Amino acid sequence: MTLLTRSHMFLAKPLTRGQLGVFSLMTFIAALQTKLTSLGITSKIDGEEITVERPELRALTIKSDSDLETAFSSYKKARSINFDVEQRELLHNNSFEVHITRLSPLTSFQTELYTLSDSRGNTVKIGPCSSAFSLAFFDSPEYTRYFDARVRKRILESSLSTRKPDWFLWSPITATYTHKGRKTPAQFRDTALHAIRSSLFKIATEQHDCYAIWKPRNRRIKSINGDTATGDNVIPRARYEEDVVSFYKVAKASPFPSQSFLAYYHVLEFYFLKVAETKLHHRLSSILNSPTLRTDRNSLDRVISLVRGQDSRSDETEMLRSVLDRYVQEQDLIDFISEFETSVGEKIYSKRRRVFGEDVQISPMKDHALANSAKTLKHIRNAIVHSSDRYKREDCHIPLSETEDLIAEFLPLVRFFAERVIYGSAT
């Protein structure tokens, strides 16, 4: 856990106690100019104004803002402040603030979404983050990543020649628990999280608006699932099964790996009965179309046995295997696994590993790869669908927990199969 305390304020390197007195006198506009310089942006400060020189455009001017300066001054004078960079949690005097994410579609443009209180005067507020949260994030190591992703390009390429200083700050939606009274109670973080989680559930049930406390995502997951846009602008000649494509789009659009996995699996599941019945039709045809067929007891028993045998073999794993066999060339799967594992630098699928209480492995060998894949995909599907408190924690999936990252590692595999099935079933 990485904690940012007041001794880390607004510099690339932590301040010593002796230095803190000098920099605590800085204005925010001066702190911003120091930050820009540390991030490789050439700028100069003149009083309450920063000028950023841009080779291809007019210089960018950033003028001081009195409200932000007041917030910055209050932030520096806080009697206690701790910012957990990894969890995005801020302990500030008698309040606890945490980054939350909205799960529902955006339907409201309110600046302050919800405020709940209890009989003792303690409150939970859901809305844009406090100035203290934005300022703490501004000085955290994560700000560099945010700056490179959101700010740097707009500074150097936007035609706008003036910006307000708060434009450089990140202001997410947060949940803030405030304890009435100056004395912070023991186990304050646990108390605050309990109140926030209960409040978010109340909002979900009564306001039909869903939020969840933000959790750090494993950065390797992004590299595993990081798609780059490819292709051309040619209209496909093929006509795809519309219902199946709908499942695929839901899988692509869902922010939750578990739901994406199930939607991709539905693409495969869509053809379970069709493929099973086609196999039965072929087997029955080989009997019924034979010129030697007689309607005697032995021939009829063969037909009955074949139909009953098909019913007894309607195991989902076998049905999945049949779909994969029909639409996917095993060598294509072996090549995909090899190329994918080379690109991520890790044997995600071909090395034996523990997943939801069972060892899984996809051997990239002929006559093994498809069978192993069917077993693995069905096991993960069961872990998502049949999560229960009857199982051990490592045997089941809990939405919005770290098991989402585990499922995300298998999204490229199930997506590969879904796409091959869609291509193979097209006309």
Side-chain angles (χ1 to χ4, degrees), residues 206-217:
E206 296 181 357
Q207 304 296 326
H208 316 295
D209 200 2
C210 294
Y211 295 85
I213 293 176
W214 180 87
K215 292 183 181 296
R217 294 296 302 273

Side-chain angles (χ1 to χ4, degrees), residues 216-218 220-222 224-225 256-258 261 340 346 348-349 351 353-358 360 376-377 379-380 383-384 393-398 400-414:
R217 294 296 302 273
N218 191 330
R220 64 191 283 274
I221 298 300
K222 186 174 181 179
I224 289 172
N225 289 281
F256 311 114
S258 56
F261 187 97
F340 175 76
E346 190 175 350
I348 300 289
Y349 306 134
K351 184 177 180 180
R353 59 189 296 200
R354 196 78 173 170
V355 175
F356 295 121
E358 283 191 17
V360 300
T376 298
L377 296 182
H379 172 63
I380 296 173
I384 297 172
R393 180 68 184 85
E394 64 271 16
D395 294 344
C396 66
H397 161 66
I398 303 298
L400 306 178
S401 73
E402 65 276 4
T403 56
E404 293 282 3
D405 285 345
L406 177 59
I407 293 169
E409 295 183 6
F410 289 88
L411 286 183
L413 179 68
V414 70

Side-chain angles (χ1 to χ4, degrees), residues 163-343:
R163 292 285 189 185
K164 293 183 177 181
D166 60 2
W167 180 80
F168 293 86
L169 298 177
W170 183 52
S171 300
I173 298 295
T174 59
T176 304
Y177 174 78
T178 303
H179 173 72
K180 187 175 183 181
R182 292 183 59 83
K183 186 177 181 181
T184 304
Q187 305 297 319
F188 181 53
R189 178 180 181 274
D190 291 342
T191 301
L193 283 172
H194 174 76
I196 288 171
R197 289 190 176 109
S198 297
S199 298
L200 294 182
F201 177 65
K202 180 181 176 69
I203 291 169
T205 59
E206 296 181 357
Q207 304 296 326
H208 316 295
D209 200 2
C210 294
Y211 295 85
I213 293 176
W214 180 87
K215 292 183 181 296
R217 294 296 302 273
N218 191 330
R219 297 198 190 281
R220 64 191 283 274
I221 298 300
K222 186 174 181 179
S223 67
I224 289 172
N225 289 281
D227 290 333
T228 53
T230 58
D232 53 38
N233 297 319
V234 178
I235 297 175
R237 292 180 299 169
R239 181 172 296 177
Y240 305 104
E241 175 65 53
E242 185 176 350
D243 293 341
V244 176
V245 169
S246 295
F247 284 121
Y248 181 87
K249 289 178 180 178
V250 169
K252 273 281 192 175
S254 176
F256 311 114
S258 56
Q259 298 305 308
S260 289
F261 187 97
L262 287 180
Y264 284 130
Y265 191 89
H266 281 314
V267 172
L268 311 179
E269 198 173 42
F270 189 87
Y271 292 98
F272 277 10
L273 291 179
K274 180 180 290 188
V275 171
E277 289 173 356
T278 299
K279 289 177 66 175
L280 179 59
H281 292 168
H282 289 320
R283 289 172 178 170
L284 284 173
S285 294
S286 68
I287 297 175
L288 299 178
N289 294 331
S290 172
T292 61
L293 176 69
R294 299 289 184 271
T295 56
D296 55 22
R297 187 179 185 86
N298 288 337
S299 296
L300 293 176
D301 283 346
R302 287 178 61 199
V303 173
I304 292 170
S305 176
L306 184 61
V307 174
R308 284 179 174 173
Q310 178 68 25
D311 289 340
S312 67
R313 286 190 294 269
S314 294
D315 170 79
E316 272 206 34
T317 305
E318 286 301 315
M319 295 174 80
L320 175 58
R321 168 70 188 275
S322 296
V323 171
L324 302 187
D325 274 334
R326 175 168 181 175
Y327 293 109
V328 182
Q329 293 291 325
E330 192 163 42
Q331 188 57 51
D332 290 347
L333 171 61
I334 293 170
D335 292 343
F336 165 77
I337 291 174
S338 176
E339 292 171 7
F340 175 76
E341 292 185 338
T342 298
S343 68

